[in-house]
Amino acid sequence: MKKSALLALPLAGALFLAACGSDAAETVDTTVAAEEAPATEAVVETTPAETVAAETTVAVAAETTVAAAAAGASLAGVCPATIAIQTDWNPEAEHGALYQMVGASPTIDTDTKRVTGPLMDGTTDTGIKIEIRVGGPAIGFESPIATMYKDQSILLAYVANDDAVASYTKFPTKSIVAPLNKNPQIIMWDPEKYPDAKAIADLPKDTKIRVFGPAAYLSYLVGAGIINQDQIDGSYKGEPSAWVADNGKSAQQGFASAEPYFYEKELKEWAKPVAYQLLHDAGWDAYAAALGVRSADFDANKACFKALVPVVQRAARDYVSNPAAANTLILDLVTKYNTGWVYTASQAAASVEYQLKDALVANSPDGTLGSFDTARVDAFIKKALPIYEKEGTEVNAALTAADIVTNEFIDPSIKLP
């Protein structure tokens, strides 16, 4: 997909830089008001898709080609005829595992912002359909958990661990597979201004950090002594004009799979590297974009999940090995949905590279792609519960990893090489 060389970004900039979902809403019944970001004079140049595809195809290893797809089994009669999945944002490369499963000639509904096609396990048609529903502006910036609870036709939704903890007493969920091993969210800064900063904690304590309003991860960073409360500037609207205007004096939230490439390669007013640290590496290590089900529907769908989860695992592996086809679909959907989301072929291709470089997609400590490190989840819950309780959220003090995630359906043989 090509965009014009000159792009004024009142809404579009906000939608680009708010990638990868929300900042984990404190409660899922709270919707985020969409605010129009101020215009900027950012100039975006994009690389033709043909060139990008040739230059940035990620070859993980020859053995990850889908010769193994012959293992694909039929899901017909085991799963619903159509598995509806609610995502947390517009189509993007971070959702590649899902779009990897969509077969040829899908049906695209531009009104409801849904794509439906044969659910594929590599080259094998599983006999059912997959329907991917976009989040963000398409659902009024509501949490996928809230949307899933409102619409019982949705079987699975993107459930971040922090959302799962915060919402458990009202809207319990259990996640069954984690295509992303790390949350892509970051705090970034100018390495020329702060050459000694290797982590968020290294930034001078008078450095403003622009973010989207209050969020639990900020309370964690303050409580852990990584930042001070008065560093937090909640004025960020998702666009780069303030960063450019103060020449990188402030730090800013973002996503490892989006902003570093965009700021260096496509934002002509900046056009140089940024430094960053993942929130994961700073200690807020929630799983993001795990696929979760309403807890009450978990048992009734166990047979389906046993067959489906290995398909998702293989799709996550195959996507980062060869993302071209799924990225073509993602870019086509961005164009046809026309929500204001700005996304290019070069951004999608670069995202895959960053996902691998920063281990956003990676094997778990058990060597398996898509499994949960339950010790990590238990430790995260212990960090998160007091924060949510202090903020007035009703929490389950006895919550454990076993309540919100499971490896019951994971195929341990599926992994990145």
Side-chain angles (χ1 to χ4, degrees):
M1 178 182 71
K2 296 182 180 179
K3 292 289 181 184
S4 61
L6 294 173
L7 184 63
L9 297 174
L11 175 61
L15 291 183
F16 167 69
L17 295 171
C20 312
S22 69
D23 300 317
E26 302 303 296
T27 55
V28 298
D29 51 354
T30 300
T31 55
V32 181
E35 297 186 64
E36 184 173 282
T40 174
E41 297 178 354
V43 179
V44 179
E45 291 183 351
T46 62
T47 307
E50 298 82 4
T51 302
V52 173
E55 293 178 348
T56 60
T57 298
V58 179
V60 177
E63 62 206 72
T64 65
T65 59
V66 195
S74 173
L75 303 184
V78 181
C79 291
T82 298
I83 292 181
I85 303 176
Q86 178 63 58
T87 70
D88 58 355
W89 195 244
N90 290 285
E92 59 182 350
E94 292 83 348
H95 301 171
L98 296 192
Y99 292 104
Q100 183 77 13
M101 293 187 286
V102 179
S105 303
T107 299
I108 300 171
D109 189 329
T110 57
D111 292 327
T112 61
K113 308 297 187 284
R114 301 173 187 176
V115 60
T116 306
L119 196 159
M120 305 297 292
D121 185 4
T123 58
T124 302
D125 189 331
T126 65
I128 66 171
K129 293 182 178 180
I130 183 172
E131 177 182 274
I132 303 173
R133 306 183 183 188
V134 302
I139 57 173
F141 298 91
E142 187 176 58
S143 160
I145 297 176
T147 302
M148 178 170 64
Y149 263 87
K150 286 180 180 178
D151 186 346
Q152 296 292 309
S153 69
I154 299 170
L155 179 61
L156 297 166
Y158 272 6
V159 177
N161 283 167
D162 31 12
D163 277 349
V165 172
S167 64
Y168 191 82
T169 58
K170 293 182 179 179
F171 304 113
T173 57
K174 180 168 279 194
S175 295
I176 59 174
V177 62
L180 293 182
N181 185 56
K182 291 183 181 180
N183 183 348
Q185 198 169 359
I186 60 174
I187 299 297
M188 66 184 200
W189 59 90
D190 180 2
E192 291 183 0
K193 265 195 176 42
Y194 303 109
D196 297 327
K198 307 303 179 186
I200 301 166
D202 298 333
L203 292 168
K205 290 301 186 280
D206 60 350
T207 306
K208 290 295 182 184
I209 303 175
R210 278 190 294 273
V211 297
F212 281 108
Y217 79 85
L218 294 170
S219 298
Y220 165 75
L221 293 177
V222 171
I226 295 171
I227 65 173
N228 293 331
Q229 182 67 41
D230 59 7
Q231 288 182 257
I232 299 172
D233 177 351
S235 66
Y236 185 54
K237 299 296 185 293
E239 47 76 40
S241 58
W243 173 284
V244 173
D246 75 5
N247 196 28
K249 181 179 179 181
S250 299
Q252 185 172 283
Q253 77 166 72
F255 295 87
S257 46
E259 274 84 352
Y261 173 81
F262 175 74
Y263 274 61
E264 180 179 0
K265 301 296 186 182
E266 296 195 352
L267 184 64
K268 290 185 69 75
E269 286 77 12
W270 187 255
K272 55 184 178 180
V274 300
Y276 60 90
Q277 185 183 27
L278 292 164
L279 295 185
H280 175 99
D281 295 332
W284 191 253
D285 51 356
Y287 283 92
L291 292 182
V293 61
R294 291 173 294 267
S295 293
D297 295 330
F298 176 76
D299 286 340
N301 288 282
K302 278 188 172 184
C304 173
F305 296 154
K306 182 177 177 61
L308 174 66
V309 166
V311 178
V312 177
Q313 290 178 266
R314 282 189 285 270
R317 179 198 63 194
D318 297 338
Y319 173 69
V320 295
S321 175
N322 186 8
N327 280 356
T328 296
L329 174 59
I330 288 169
L331 294 165
D332 186 40
L333 294 174
V334 169
T335 300
K336 289 177 178 174
Y337 290 161
N338 193 29
T339 64
W341 173 233
V342 178
Y343 207 56
T344 66
S346 56
Q347 290 164 12
S351 175
V352 178
E353 294 183 340
Y354 277 86
Q355 287 178 50
L356 291 168
K357 177 180 75 71
D358 288 331
L360 308 180
V361 176
N363 295 330
S364 294
D366 66 1
T368 302
L369 181 64
S371 66
F372 297 94
D373 179 350
T374 55
R376 167 180 151 189
V377 177
D378 272 324
F380 175 79
I381 291 171
K382 290 179 181 178
K383 284 183 280 194
L385 281 175
I387 291 173
Y388 286 119
E389 190 170 23
K390 184 177 180 181
E391 293 176 351
T393 301
E394 182 183 353
V395 297
N396 182 339
L399 198 68
T400 69
D403 294 313
I404 64 172
V405 304
T406 181
N407 289 324
E408 180 177 352
F409 313 110
I410 293 291
D411 182 341
S413 71
I414 300 171
K415 58 192 70 181
L416 292 180

